[in-house]
PDB file of all heavy atoms in Angstrom:
ATOM      1  N   ALA A  26      62.990 -18.474 -26.202  1.00 60.00           N
ATOM      2  CA  ALA A  26      61.669 -17.952 -25.840  1.00 60.00           C
ATOM      3  C   ALA A  26      61.624 -16.430 -25.853  1.00 60.00           C
ATOM      4  O   ALA A  26      60.559 -15.850 -26.035  1.00 60.00           O
ATOM      5  CB  ALA A  26      61.276 -18.479 -24.460  1.00 60.00           C
ATOM      6  N   TRP A  27      62.780 -15.769 -25.644  1.00 68.00           N
ATOM      7  CA  TRP A  27      62.769 -14.305 -25.612  1.00 68.00           C
ATOM      8  C   TRP A  27      62.284 -13.728 -26.934  1.00 68.00           C
ATOM      9  O   TRP A  27      61.720 -12.631 -26.976  1.00 68.00           O
ATOM     10  CB  TRP A  27      64.165 -13.778 -25.286  1.00 68.00           C
ATOM     11  CG  TRP A  27      65.186 -14.002 -26.367  1.00 68.00           C
ATOM     12  CD1 TRP A  27      66.014 -15.065 -26.513  1.00 68.00           C
ATOM     13  CD2 TRP A  27      65.471 -13.125 -27.464  1.00 68.00           C
ATOM     14  NE1 TRP A  27      66.796 -14.921 -27.635  1.00 68.00           N
ATOM     15  CE2 TRP A  27      66.485 -13.733 -28.231  1.00 68.00           C
ATOM     16  CE3 TRP A  27      64.968 -11.885 -27.861  1.00 68.00           C
ATOM     17  CZ2 TRP A  27      67.005 -13.154 -29.380  1.00 68.00           C
ATOM     18  CZ3 TRP A  27      65.491 -11.304 -29.010  1.00 68.00           C
ATOM     19  CH2 TRP A  27      66.494 -11.943 -29.749  1.00 68.00           C
ATOM     20  N   GLN A  28      62.448 -14.482 -28.038  1.00 76.00           N
ATOM     21  CA  GLN A  28      62.057 -13.961 -29.342  1.00 76.00           C
ATOM     22  C   GLN A  28      60.555 -13.997 -29.568  1.00 76.00           C
ATOM     23  O   GLN A  28      60.059 -13.423 -30.533  1.00 76.00           O
ATOM     24  CB  GLN A  28      62.769 -14.749 -30.452  1.00 76.00           C
ATOM     25  CG  GLN A  28      64.284 -14.618 -30.392  1.00 76.00           C
ATOM     26  CD  GLN A  28      64.976 -15.294 -31.538  1.00 76.00           C
ATOM     27  OE1 GLN A  28      65.076 -14.738 -32.623  1.00 76.00           O
ATOM     28  NE2 GLN A  28      65.466 -16.495 -31.315  1.00 76.00           N
ATOM     29  N   THR A  29      59.828 -14.692 -28.697  1.00 79.00           N
ATOM     30  CA  THR A  29      58.380 -14.738 -28.880  1.00 79.00           C
ATOM     31  C   THR A  29      57.745 -13.367 -28.720  1.00 79.00           C
ATOM     32  O   THR A  29      56.681 -13.106 -29.282  1.00 79.00           O
ATOM     33  CB  THR A  29      57.741 -15.722 -27.881  1.00 79.00           C
ATOM     34  OG1 THR A  29      58.044 -15.302 -26.541  1.00 79.00           O
ATOM     35  CG2 THR A  29      58.243 -17.134 -28.102  1.00 79.00           C
ATOM     36  N   SER A  30      58.381 -12.485 -27.954  1.00 81.00           N
ATOM     37  CA  SER A  30      57.835 -11.128 -27.824  1.00 81.00           C
ATOM     38  C   SER A  30      57.883 -10.405 -29.167  1.00 81.00           C
ATOM     39  O   SER A  30      56.994  -9.601 -29.483  1.00 81.00           O
ATOM     40  CB  SER A  30      58.607 -10.335 -26.772  1.00 81.00           C
ATOM     41  OG  SER A  30      59.988 -10.263 -27.087  1.00 81.00           O
ATOM     42  N   ILE A  31      58.912 -10.684 -29.972  1.00 85.00           N
ATOM     43  CA  ILE A  31      58.999 -10.098 -31.312  1.00 85.00           C
ATOM     44  C   ILE A  31      57.881 -10.651 -32.185  1.00 85.00           C
ATOM     45  O   ILE A  31      57.203  -9.907 -32.910  1.00 85.00           O
ATOM     46  CB  ILE A  31      60.370 -10.389 -31.942  1.00 85.00           C
ATOM     47  CG1 ILE A  31      61.496  -9.826 -31.072  1.00 85.00           C
ATOM     48  CG2 ILE A  31      60.448  -9.824 -33.357  1.00 85.00           C
ATOM     49  CD1 ILE A  31      62.884 -10.159 -31.574  1.00 85.00           C
ATOM     50  N   ALA A  32      57.681 -11.977 -32.117  1.00 83.00           N
ATOM     51  CA  ALA A  32      56.614 -12.600 -32.901  1.00 83.00           C
ATOM     52  C   ALA A  32      55.254 -12.056 -32.500  1.00 83.00           C
ATOM     53  O   ALA A  32      54.396 -11.778 -33.352  1.00 83.00           O
ATOM     54  CB  ALA A  32      56.662 -14.118 -32.722  1.00 83.00           C
ATOM     55  N   ASP A  33      55.031 -11.893 -31.198  1.00 83.00           N
ATOM     56  CA  ASP A  33      53.769 -11.301 -30.716  1.00 83.00           C
ATOM     57  C   ASP A  33      53.574  -9.907 -31.289  1.00 83.00           C
ATOM     58  O   ASP A  33      52.460  -9.516 -31.641  1.00 83.00           O
ATOM     59  CB  ASP A  33      53.765 -11.234 -29.187  1.00 83.00           C
ATOM     60  CG  ASP A  33      53.495 -12.588 -28.540  1.00 83.00           C
ATOM     61  OD1 ASP A  33      52.872 -13.427 -29.199  1.00 83.00           O
ATOM     62  OD2 ASP A  33      53.932 -12.792 -27.398  1.00 83.00           O
ATOM     63  N   GLY A  34      54.670  -9.145 -31.366  1.00 83.00           N
ATOM     64  CA  GLY A  34      54.584  -7.789 -31.890  1.00 83.00           C
ATOM     65  C   GLY A  34      54.136  -7.751 -33.335  1.00 83.00           C
ATOM     66  O   GLY A  34      53.362  -6.882 -33.743  1.00 83.00           O
ATOM     67  N   VAL A  35      54.612  -8.712 -34.147  1.00 86.00           N
ATOM     68  CA  VAL A  35      54.190  -8.780 -35.556  1.00 86.00           C
ATOM     69  C   VAL A  35      52.725  -9.177 -35.646  1.00 86.00           C
ATOM     70  O   VAL A  35      51.937  -8.578 -36.392  1.00 86.00           O
ATOM     71  CB  VAL A  35      55.073  -9.769 -36.340  1.00 86.00           C
ATOM     72  CG1 VAL A  35      54.600  -9.871 -37.790  1.00 86.00           C
ATOM     73  CG2 VAL A  35      56.533  -9.337 -36.298  1.00 86.00           C
ATOM     74  N   THR A  36      52.340 -10.200 -34.881  1.00 81.00           N
ATOM     75  CA  THR A  36      50.965 -10.684 -34.935  1.00 81.00           C
ATOM     76  C   THR A  36      49.977  -9.611 -34.495  1.00 81.00           C
ATOM     77  O   THR A  36      48.901  -9.465 -35.071  1.00 81.00           O
ATOM     78  CB  THR A  36      50.801 -11.924 -34.035  1.00 81.00           C
ATOM     79  OG1 THR A  36      51.731 -12.936 -34.460  1.00 81.00           O
ATOM     80  CG2 THR A  36      49.393 -12.485 -34.121  1.00 81.00           C
ATOM     81  N   SER A  37      50.353  -8.832 -33.481  1.00 79.00           N
ATOM     82  CA  SER A  37      49.455  -7.796 -32.977  1.00 79.00           C
ATOM     83  C   SER A  37      49.423  -6.554 -33.861  1.00 79.00           C
ATOM     84  O   SER A  37      48.562  -5.695 -33.695  1.00 79.00           O
ATOM     85  CB  SER A  37      49.875  -7.389 -31.567  1.00 79.00           C
ATOM     86  OG  SER A  37      51.155  -6.751 -31.585  1.00 79.00           O
ATOM     87  N   GLY A  38      50.362  -6.444 -34.790  1.00 78.00           N
ATOM     88  CA  GLY A  38      50.418  -5.275 -35.651  1.00 78.00           C
ATOM     89  C   GLY A  38      51.297  -4.161 -35.129  1.00 78.00           C
ATOM     90  O   GLY A  38      51.435  -3.119 -35.776  1.00 78.00           O
ATOM     91  N   ASP A  39      51.932  -4.358 -33.966  1.00 80.00           N
ATOM     92  CA  ASP A  39      52.821  -3.328 -33.416  1.00 80.00           C
ATOM     93  C   ASP A  39      54.143  -3.261 -34.166  1.00 80.00           C
ATOM     94  O   ASP A  39      54.838  -2.239 -34.126  1.00 80.00           O
ATOM     95  CB  ASP A  39      53.097  -3.603 -31.932  1.00 80.00           C
ATOM     96  CG  ASP A  39      51.863  -3.409 -31.063  1.00 80.00           C
ATOM     97  OD1 ASP A  39      50.986  -2.620 -31.473  1.00 80.00           O
ATOM     98  OD2 ASP A  39      51.772  -4.049 -30.004  1.00 80.00           O
ATOM     99  N   LEU A  40      54.529  -4.360 -34.814  1.00 85.00           N
ATOM    100  CA  LEU A  40      55.792  -4.428 -35.548  1.00 85.00           C
ATOM    101  C   LEU A  40      55.548  -4.851 -36.992  1.00 85.00           C
ATOM    102  O   LEU A  40      54.747  -5.744 -37.255  1.00 85.00           O
ATOM    103  CB  LEU A  40      56.731  -5.464 -34.908  1.00 85.00           C
ATOM    104  CG  LEU A  40      57.471  -5.134 -33.622  1.00 85.00           C
ATOM    105  CD1 LEU A  40      58.344  -6.314 -33.234  1.00 85.00           C
ATOM    106  CD2 LEU A  40      58.316  -3.887 -33.784  1.00 85.00           C
ATOM    107  N   SER A  41      56.262  -4.221 -37.904  1.00 88.00           N
ATOM    108  CA  SER A  41      56.309  -4.734 -39.267  1.00 88.00           C
ATOM    109  C   SER A  41      57.301  -5.891 -39.315  1.00 88.00           C
ATOM    110  O   SER A  41      58.105  -6.076 -38.395  1.00 88.00           O
ATOM    111  CB  SER A  41      56.747  -3.636 -40.241  1.00 88.00           C
ATOM    112  OG  SER A  41      58.103  -3.272 -39.996  1.00 88.00           O
ATOM    113  N   VAL A  42      57.261  -6.665 -40.382  1.00 89.00           N
ATOM    114  CA  VAL A  42      58.218  -7.762 -40.529  1.00 89.00           C
ATOM    115  C   VAL A  42      59.637  -7.210 -40.600  1.00 89.00           C
ATOM    116  O   VAL A  42      60.574  -7.770 -40.022  1.00 89.00           O
ATOM    117  CB  VAL A  42      57.885  -8.604 -41.780  1.00 89.00           C
ATOM    118  CG1 VAL A  42      59.011  -9.589 -42.095  1.00 89.00           C
ATOM    119  CG2 VAL A  42      56.588  -9.367 -41.571  1.00 89.00           C
ATOM    120  N   ASP A  43      59.815  -6.078 -41.302  1.00 90.00           N
ATOM    121  CA  ASP A  43      61.147  -5.471 -41.391  1.00 90.00           C
ATOM    122  C   ASP A  43      61.645  -5.045 -40.008  1.00 90.00           C
ATOM    123  O   ASP A  43      62.814  -5.242 -39.669  1.00 90.00           O
ATOM    124  CB  ASP A  43      61.111  -4.246 -42.322  1.00 90.00           C
ATOM    125  CG  ASP A  43      61.040  -4.640 -43.781  1.00 90.00           C
ATOM    126  OD1 ASP A  43      61.513  -5.738 -44.127  1.00 90.00           O
ATOM    127  OD2 ASP A  43      60.505  -3.858 -44.578  1.00 90.00           O
ATOM    128  N   ALA A  44      60.760  -4.449 -39.212  1.00 91.00           N
ATOM    129  CA  ALA A  44      61.150  -4.018 -37.867  1.00 91.00           C
ATOM    130  C   ALA A  44      61.498  -5.225 -37.000  1.00 91.00           C
ATOM    131  O   ALA A  44      62.471  -5.203 -36.238  1.00 91.00           O
ATOM    132  CB  ALA A  44      60.026  -3.211 -37.234  1.00 91.00           C
ATOM    133  N   ALA A  45      60.705  -6.286 -37.116  1.00 90.00           N
ATOM    134  CA  ALA A  45      60.963  -7.495 -36.327  1.00 90.00           C
ATOM    135  C   ALA A  45      62.323  -8.091 -36.672  1.00 90.00           C
ATOM    136  O   ALA A  45      63.089  -8.484 -35.783  1.00 90.00           O
ATOM    137  CB  ALA A  45      59.865  -8.521 -36.571  1.00 90.00           C
ATOM    138  N   GLU A  46      62.633  -8.154 -37.956  1.00 89.00           N
ATOM    139  CA  GLU A  46      63.921  -8.715 -38.365  1.00 89.00           C
ATOM    140  C   GLU A  46      65.074  -7.823 -37.917  1.00 89.00           C
ATOM    141  O   GLU A  46      66.150  -8.309 -37.558  1.00 89.00           O
ATOM    142  CB  GLU A  46      63.950  -8.901 -39.890  1.00 89.00           C
ATOM    143  CG  GLU A  46      65.220  -9.505 -40.445  1.00 89.00           C
ATOM    144  CD  GLU A  46      65.468 -10.943 -40.020  1.00 89.00           C
ATOM    145  OE1 GLU A  46      64.721 -11.467 -39.154  1.00 89.00           O
ATOM    146  OE2 GLU A  46      66.414 -11.551 -40.536  1.00 89.00           O
ATOM    147  N   SER A  47      64.870  -6.507 -37.918  1.00 91.00           N
ATOM    148  CA  SER A  47      65.909  -5.591 -37.438  1.00 91.00           C
ATOM    149  C   SER A  47      66.203  -5.829 -35.963  1.00 91.00           C
ATOM    150  O   SER A  47      67.368  -5.845 -35.545  1.00 91.00           O
ATOM    151  CB  SER A  47      65.472  -4.136 -37.659  1.00 91.00           C
ATOM    152  OG  SER A  47      65.429  -3.813 -39.031  1.00 91.00           O
ATOM    153  N   ILE A  48      65.154  -6.014 -35.172  1.00 91.00           N
ATOM    154  CA  ILE A  48      65.345  -6.270 -33.746  1.00 91.00           C
ATOM    155  C   ILE A  48      66.039  -7.610 -33.538  1.00 91.00           C
ATOM    156  O   ILE A  48      66.976  -7.732 -32.739  1.00 91.00           O
ATOM    157  CB  ILE A  48      63.994  -6.232 -33.006  1.00 91.00           C
ATOM    158  CG1 ILE A  48      63.409  -4.810 -33.049  1.00 91.00           C
ATOM    159  CG2 ILE A  48      64.141  -6.704 -31.568  1.00 91.00           C
ATOM    160  CD1 ILE A  48      62.012  -4.702 -32.460  1.00 91.00           C
ATOM    161  N   ARG A  49      65.575  -8.638 -34.247  1.00 88.00           N
ATOM    162  CA  ARG A  49      66.158  -9.979 -34.092  1.00 88.00           C
ATOM    163  C   ARG A  49      67.635  -9.988 -34.458  1.00 88.00           C
ATOM    164  O   ARG A  49      68.482 -10.504 -33.712  1.00 88.00           O
ATOM    165  CB  ARG A  49      65.407 -10.981 -34.971  1.00 88.00           C
ATOM    166  CG  ARG A  49      65.799 -12.431 -34.750  1.00 88.00           C
ATOM    167  CD  ARG A  49      65.260 -13.317 -35.852  1.00 88.00           C
ATOM    168  NE  ARG A  49      65.934 -13.052 -37.117  1.00 88.00           N
ATOM    169  CZ  ARG A  49      67.114 -13.553 -37.457  1.00 88.00           C
ATOM    170  NH1 ARG A  49      67.774 -14.326 -36.619  1.00 88.00           N
ATOM    171  NH2 ARG A  49      67.658 -13.261 -38.621  1.00 88.00           N
ATOM    172  N   LYS A  50      67.976  -9.398 -35.585  1.00 88.00           N
ATOM    173  CA  LYS A  50      69.372  -9.390 -36.025  1.00 88.00           C
ATOM    174  C   LYS A  50      70.224  -8.490 -35.141  1.00 88.00           C
ATOM    175  O   LYS A  50      71.377  -8.813 -34.840  1.00 88.00           O
ATOM    176  CB  LYS A  50      69.463  -8.925 -37.485  1.00 88.00           C
ATOM    177  CG  LYS A  50      68.950  -9.941 -38.485  1.00 88.00           C
ATOM    178  CD  LYS A  50      68.962  -9.398 -39.906  1.00 88.00           C
ATOM    179  CE  LYS A  50      70.359  -9.081 -40.363  1.00 88.00           C
ATOM    180  NZ  LYS A  50      70.378  -8.590 -41.767  1.00 88.00           N
ATOM    181  N   GLY A  51      69.670  -7.356 -34.738  1.00 89.00           N
ATOM    182  CA  GLY A  51      70.441  -6.422 -33.934  1.00 89.00           C
ATOM    183  C   GLY A  51      70.760  -6.947 -32.550  1.00 89.00           C
ATOM    184  O   GLY A  51      71.870  -6.756 -32.044  1.00 89.00           O
ATOM    185  N   LEU A  52      69.806  -7.632 -31.929  1.00 89.00           N
ATOM    186  CA  LEU A  52      70.030  -8.152 -30.580  1.00 89.00           C
ATOM    187  C   LEU A  52      70.869  -9.423 -30.568  1.00 89.00           C
ATOM    188  O   LEU A  52      71.557  -9.714 -29.590  1.00 89.00           O
ATOM    189  CB  LEU A  52      68.686  -8.421 -29.891  1.00 89.00           C
ATOM    190  CG  LEU A  52      67.879  -7.195 -29.458  1.00 89.00           C
ATOM    191  CD1 LEU A  52      66.590  -7.622 -28.785  1.00 89.00           C
ATOM    192  CD2 LEU A  52      68.688  -6.301 -28.524  1.00 89.00           C
ATOM    193  N   GLY A  53      70.822 -10.200 -31.659  1.00 85.00           N
ATOM    194  CA  GLY A  53      71.622 -11.419 -31.704  1.00 85.00           C
ATOM    195  C   GLY A  53      71.017 -12.529 -30.861  1.00 85.00           C
ATOM    196  O   GLY A  53      69.848 -12.485 -30.471  1.00 85.00           O
ATOM    197  N   MET A  54      71.833 -13.515 -30.547  1.00 82.00           N
ATOM    198  CA  MET A  54      71.358 -14.705 -29.851  1.00 82.00           C
ATOM    199  C   MET A  54      71.884 -14.763 -28.423  1.00 82.00           C
ATOM    200  O   MET A  54      72.803 -14.048 -28.046  1.00 82.00           O
ATOM    201  CB  MET A  54      71.787 -15.957 -30.618  1.00 82.00           C
ATOM    202  CG  MET A  54      71.241 -16.023 -32.037  1.00 82.00           C
ATOM    203  SD  MET A  54      69.428 -15.960 -32.097  1.00 82.00           S
ATOM    204  CE  MET A  54      69.026 -17.510 -31.294  1.00 82.00           C
ATOM    205  N   VAL A  55      71.263 -15.677 -27.658  1.00 82.00           N
ATOM    206  CA  VAL A  55      71.706 -15.920 -26.287  1.00 82.00           C
ATOM    207  C   VAL A  55      73.102 -16.553 -26.312  1.00 82.00           C
ATOM    208  O   VAL A  55      73.407 -17.389 -27.157  1.00 82.00           O
ATOM    209  CB  VAL A  55      70.726 -16.875 -25.574  1.00 82.00           C
ATOM    210  CG1 VAL A  55      71.248 -17.272 -24.193  1.00 82.00           C
ATOM    211  CG2 VAL A  55      69.351 -16.224 -25.465  1.00 82.00           C
ATOM    212  N   ASP A  56      73.978 -16.108 -25.409  1.00 81.00           N
ATOM    213  CA  ASP A  56      75.283 -16.753 -25.260  1.00 81.00           C
ATOM    214  C   ASP A  56      75.692 -16.683 -23.795  1.00 81.00           C
ATOM    215  O   ASP A  56      74.868 -16.392 -22.924  1.00 81.00           O
ATOM    216  CB  ASP A  56      76.346 -16.130 -26.181  1.00 81.00           C
ATOM    217  CG  ASP A  56      76.538 -14.634 -25.943  1.00 81.00           C
ATOM    218  OD1 ASP A  56      76.204 -14.157 -24.835  1.00 81.00           O
ATOM    219  OD2 ASP A  56      77.031 -13.945 -26.850  1.00 81.00           O
ATOM    220  N   ASP A  57      76.952 -16.949 -23.515  1.00 81.00           N
ATOM    221  CA  ASP A  57      77.407 -16.984 -22.125  1.00 81.00           C
ATOM    222  C   ASP A  57      77.310 -15.627 -21.441  1.00 81.00           C
ATOM    223  O   ASP A  57      77.228 -15.551 -20.208  1.00 81.00           O
ATOM    224  CB  ASP A  57      78.860 -17.481 -22.060  1.00 81.00           C
ATOM    225  CG  ASP A  57      78.988 -18.937 -22.472  1.00 81.00           C
ATOM    226  OD1 ASP A  57      77.965 -19.648 -22.418  1.00 81.00           O
ATOM    227  OD2 ASP A  57      80.108 -19.357 -22.847  1.00 81.00           O
ATOM    228  N   ALA A  58      77.342 -14.548 -22.231  1.00 82.00           N
ATOM    229  CA  ALA A  58      77.358 -13.207 -21.640  1.00 82.00           C
ATOM    230  C   ALA A  58      75.975 -12.581 -21.519  1.00 82.00           C
ATOM    231  O   ALA A  58      75.766 -11.694 -20.701  1.00 82.00           O
ATOM    232  CB  ALA A  58      78.263 -12.290 -22.465  1.00 82.00           C
ATOM    233  N   VAL A  59      75.026 -13.016 -22.354  1.00 86.00           N
ATOM    234  CA  VAL A  59      73.704 -12.384 -22.396  1.00 86.00           C
ATOM    235  C   VAL A  59      72.631 -13.444 -22.221  1.00 86.00           C
ATOM    236  O   VAL A  59      72.596 -14.431 -22.959  1.00 86.00           O
ATOM    237  CB  VAL A  59      73.497 -11.630 -23.736  1.00 86.00           C
ATOM    238  CG1 VAL A  59      72.129 -10.957 -23.752  1.00 86.00           C
ATOM    239  CG2 VAL A  59      74.590 -10.592 -23.946  1.00 86.00           C
ATOM    240  N   THR A  60      71.751 -13.237 -21.260  1.00 86.00           N
ATOM    241  CA  THR A  60      70.734 -14.226 -20.917  1.00 86.00           C
ATOM    242  C   THR A  60      69.444 -13.990 -21.706  1.00 86.00           C
ATOM    243  O   THR A  60      69.198 -12.880 -22.204  1.00 86.00           O
ATOM    244  CB  THR A  60      70.404 -14.158 -19.421  1.00 86.00           C
ATOM    245  OG1 THR A  60      69.763 -12.898 -19.141  1.00 86.00           O
ATOM    246  CG2 THR A  60      71.670 -14.284 -18.581  1.00 86.00           C
ATOM    247  N   PRO A  61      68.578 -15.019 -21.794  1.00 85.00           N
ATOM    248  CA  PRO A  61      67.273 -14.828 -22.442  1.00 85.00           C
ATOM    249  C   PRO A  61      66.443 -13.737 -21.764  1.00 85.00           C
ATOM    250  O   PRO A  61      65.736 -12.988 -22.439  1.00 85.00           O
ATOM    251  CB  PRO A  61      66.605 -16.205 -22.287  1.00 85.00           C
ATOM    252  CG  PRO A  61      67.735 -17.168 -22.149  1.00 85.00           C
ATOM    253  CD  PRO A  61      68.806 -16.422 -21.412  1.00 85.00           C
ATOM    254  N   THR A  62      66.534 -13.636 -20.449  1.00 86.00           N
ATOM    255  CA  THR A  62      65.776 -12.607 -19.726  1.00 86.00           C
ATOM    256  C   THR A  62      66.201 -11.210 -20.161  1.00 86.00           C
ATOM    257  O   THR A  62      65.371 -10.317 -20.371  1.00 86.00           O
ATOM    258  CB  THR A  62      65.977 -12.763 -18.211  1.00 86.00           C
ATOM    259  OG1 THR A  62      65.534 -14.067 -17.810  1.00 86.00           O
ATOM    260  CG2 THR A  62      65.194 -11.705 -17.447  1.00 86.00           C
TER     261      THR A  62
END
């Protein structure tokens, strides 16, 4: 669910698709050390 903020950013025009993918790839996924929050 944390990634929905990125999707909202693209839909609202605050983020380009390239910027959204950079954030998604750079932050990575949820694991034992990093929470969705």
Side-chain angles (χ1 to χ4, degrees):
W27 69 269
Q28 298 185 82
T29 59
S30 58
I31 301 176
D33 283 335
V35 178
T36 303
S37 66
D39 292 334
L40 284 181
S41 67
V42 170
D43 285 333
E46 181 66 352
S47 292
I48 294 174
R49 188 193 69 82
K50 288 176 63 178
L52 288 181
M54 300 302 294
V55 174
D56 58 23
D57 293 339
V59 181
T60 67
T62 301

